[in-house]
Amino acid sequence: MRLISGAALCLMMTGVLSPAYALTQQELVAKLESAGYSQVGEMKSTAEGIVVKAVKDGKEVQIVVDSSGQIKERR
């Protein structure tokens, strides 16, 4: 058990088990829609997180969902 816990901790620290990457595409779309985004479109994985194109308040925006699941709009 101790070896498994250590391995899981190492994987979490490197981002392999991070929440944003554990989400399926459908779950990510649902999360963004519940945050007020619509027309969720193109998704691309980058070093800063998953970059997504969507619409909020009638304006097209780019969003980054980081490894902790935080949603941030790019300016």
Side-chain angles (χ1 to χ4, degrees):
M1 182 67 168
R2 187 173 183 186
L3 178 61
I4 293 172
S5 297
L9 179 61
C10 288
L11 289 173
M12 287 171 57
M13 290 174 59
T14 60
V16 174
L17 295 179
S18 61
Y21 297 109
L23 294 175
T24 66
Q25 185 172 349
Q26 289 177 328
E27 290 169 333
L28 182 56
V29 169
K31 179 178 178 88
L32 293 171
E33 288 176 343
S34 71
Y37 296 94
S38 63
Q39 299 178 28
V40 177
E42 182 181 332
M43 295 183 188
K44 182 179 179 183
S45 182
T46 68
E48 63 182 320
I50 301 170
V51 178
V52 182
K53 290 184 181 179
V55 173
K56 186 166 188 176
D57 299 327
K59 297 178 184 176
E60 188 172 299
V61 294
Q62 274 197 339
I63 307 158
V64 177
V65 181
D66 68 17
S67 62
S68 67
Q70 295 292 317
I71 299 170
K72 299 176 187 173
E73 284 188 27
R74 279 188 168 172
R75 303 280 172 193

